Amino acid sequence: MGIEEMIPSLAGDGLITTQVNKVIGWARKNSLWPYPFGTACCAIEFMATASSRYDLARFGAEVVRFSPRQSDLMIVAGRVTMKMMPVLLQIYSQMAEPKWVISMGACASTGGVFNTYPQIQGVDQFIPVDVYVPGCPPRPESLIDGVLKIQQIIDGQAERGEFTRPTVEAN
Amino acid sequence: MTDPAKPAPKLPPTHDSHGKAARVLEENNVDHELLRRKLGELAKDIRTEFKQTVIYTTRETIARALEIVCRDPELNFNMLCDITAVDNLRRDDYDPSRRFTVIHIVYSIPNNKRIRFETLLGEDDPRIPTAAKVYKGAAWAEREVYDMFGVTFDGHPDLRRVLMPDYYEHHPLRKDYPLTGRGERDNFARAEELA
Ligand code: SF4
């Protein structure tokens, strides 16, 4: 309920009152431009998510940009190796603020089954991750759920850092 | 349950891949006499192991032997299939003078023949002459062996790492290198520190 309803002279003129943050958040969350950092099989699943059957466009996130300077959502989809990590860091730092990161799949989130010398054991050691999407690979529905969680963060329904990775005791 | 009295059904020849593989290996064998005649002193030890022709060479003889099998019109081994290596560190009969086995596999397209060369190298001095002067394609295969095992190839045109990044310091396929590395994968700056 806005202030316009209390002022009879404004009623019916198509005016609403709200907060600037809310309006900008509403615009941002419905026009996310993802940057796919696709290095392995998860990227294939990302393509499925973006194409017509699952249709990420329903949530306004279909404009996949291959330039970090034009995108605001990085989707790390796949294994990241030692040789790739400097590239990931550079691309992440080239993205303009505000920016969000989805870590898609077991490999990007934890290293997955690849516990070997060149394999980064979770990209969140080096870049801040907002949402983790589990699976190997995650189904498109899971990735869409991840994008919806990013939208919740953007319009203030959730805090940054709310969707953290559950920690598992190492044995 | 199969009836033990009945013989196993005979596979049609197109499905008999094991038999076919064995036949191909036998077809690929090279006559030892011919090799002895061509290589002379360079190939004292020629064997047939697992149906394959193997020549045991040394650091001193391998380059010349490769040159002969490549250039000789009768042998005509015009293709280098691969160069790879084995780290013998975990073998029961390990001896530091036989730490690495470098393997060259050459193939003759006109004759359908194949030879494997095996060369043993010591732990303290893993050097071997390059094959890139004879087979151009050897250059990258040798870079990979250098990257993974730390074997250096004398006379190589450009011996740099090919798989691991240039700033990497170890040779990961050596058996004394731990599977999960020595912490290289955890040694990056966080994005916030870089900004
Ligand atoms: S999590 Fe599974 S599907 Fe995704 S990159 Fe790793 S191995 Fe491939």
Side-chain angles (χ1 to χ4, degrees):
Chain A
M1 183 163 69
I3 197 165
E4 68 276 7
E5 288 172 19
M6 298 172 188
I7 305 174
S9 63
L10 290 181
D13 278 356
L15 283 178
I16 56 164
T17 51
T18 177
Q19 292 161 326
V20 176
N21 269 351
K22 286 242 165 84
V23 175
I24 293 178
W26 172 79
R28 274 182 184 149
K29 81 168 194 181
N30 290 303
S31 65
L32 281 169
W33 288 18
Y35 174 88
F37 194 87
T39 48
C41 7
C42 272
I44 306 291
E45 210 64 13
F46 171 76
M47 290 177 220
T49 314
S51 51
S52 50
R53 189 181 184 92
Y54 291 96
D55 199 9
L56 205 51
R58 290 179 294 159
F59 310 98
E62 82 280 18
V63 191
V64 176
R65 290 287 123 164
F66 294 95
S67 162
R69 296 174 200 281
Q70 299 173 349
S71 45
D72 50 7
L73 169 65
M74 177 184 253
I75 300 181
V76 186
R79 298 178 278 280
V80 180
T81 57
M82 270 178 60
K83 206 170 176 178
M84 209 61 193
M85 195 63 217
V87 180
L88 175 62
L89 283 169
Q90 183 163 8
I91 289 177
Y92 177 79
S93 50
Q94 283 175 348
M95 286 171 67
E97 292 282 357
K99 52 191 171 187
W100 296 272
V101 178
I102 290 181
S103 162
M104 176 181 181
C107 289
S109 306
T110 66
V113 295
F114 303 97
N115 188 6
T116 57
Y117 59 91
Q119 174 71 24
I120 302 297
Q121 304 293 296
V123 292
D124 55 353
Q125 292 176 66
F126 307 113
I127 62 171
V129 172
D130 295 296
V131 171
Y132 300 82
V133 180
C136 177
R139 286 194 54 92
E141 291 93 329
S142 322
L143 183 59
I144 289 173
D145 189 50
V147 172
L148 293 180
K149 291 231 163 34
I150 292 281
Q151 294 190 346
Q152 287 179 20
I153 293 176
I154 294 173
D155 75 356
Q157 291 172 34
E159 287 293 312
R160 272 203 131 153
E162 187 169 323
F163 305 111
T164 51
R165 184 170 101 183
T167 46
V168 179
E169 280 296 311
N171 50 14
Chain B
M1 283 286 282
T2 47
D3 183 356
K6 258 201 202 154
K10 202 160 161 32
L11 291 167
T14 45
H15 292 169
D16 182 13
S17 59
H18 186 75
K20 185 164 180 227
R23 269 198 310 286
V24 168
L25 289 179
E26 270 159 21
E27 275 172 21
N28 282 346
N29 269 330
V30 192
D31 179 27
H32 290 194
E33 270 317 305
L34 174 67
L35 286 175
R36 277 205 193 89
R37 207 169 68 236
K38 296 286 183 188
L39 292 171
E41 277 296 286
L42 298 173
K44 290 206 197 84
D45 193 355
I46 306 180
R47 299 182 211 169
T48 301
E49 285 175 354
F50 299 103
K51 301 193 164 86
Q52 299 165 5
T53 309
V54 189
I55 303 182
Y56 288 86
T57 45
T58 64
R59 182 152 76 198
E60 285 72 35
T61 59
I62 178 70
R64 183 82 189 111
L66 284 172
E67 197 174 336
I68 292 175
V69 297
C70 176
R71 302 265 156 83
D72 186 277
E74 199 176 337
L75 294 171
N76 203 355
F77 283 86
N78 51 359
M79 177 174 145
L80 177 87
C81 296
D82 198 10
I83 300 177
T84 181
V86 177
D87 184 355
N88 299 316
L89 184 67
R90 298 272 183 269
R91 284 177 71 132
D92 294 339
D93 57 351
Y94 171 67
D95 176 325
S97 68
R98 291 180 280 131
R99 169 84 190 255
F100 299 102
T101 312
V102 177
I103 297 166
H104 296 72
I105 304 167
V106 292
Y107 179 67
S108 164
I109 296 173
N111 302 335
N112 187 22
K113 300 286 180 203
R114 199 184 301 268
I115 308 177
R116 186 167 84 231
F117 289 92
E118 294 200 4
T119 313
L120 286 164
L121 298 178
E123 177 169 56
D124 44 354
D125 192 18
R127 280 187 305 112
I128 188 168
T130 179
K133 296 200 177 90
V134 187
Y135 297 100
K136 283 218 170 103
W140 275 42
E142 289 177 348
R143 283 175 65 184
E144 187 183 343
V145 173
Y146 163 71
D147 192 357
M148 292 289 135
F149 293 93
V151 172
T152 47
F153 289 82
D154 293 338
H156 190 285
D158 182 21
L159 195 63
R160 281 178 297 135
R161 291 181 181 276
V162 67
L163 294 172
M164 300 307 290
D166 288 334
Y167 56 81
Y168 191 70
E169 279 169 3
H170 301 283
H171 300 288
L173 286 195
R174 289 192 174 191
K175 295 283 183 202
D176 49 4
Y177 184 77
L179 179 64
T180 52
R182 298 198 169 126
E184 297 90 349
R185 64 184 186 182
D186 308 317
N187 277 340
F188 291 92
R190 276 195 67 93
E192 295 89 336
E193 294 162 24
L194 293 177

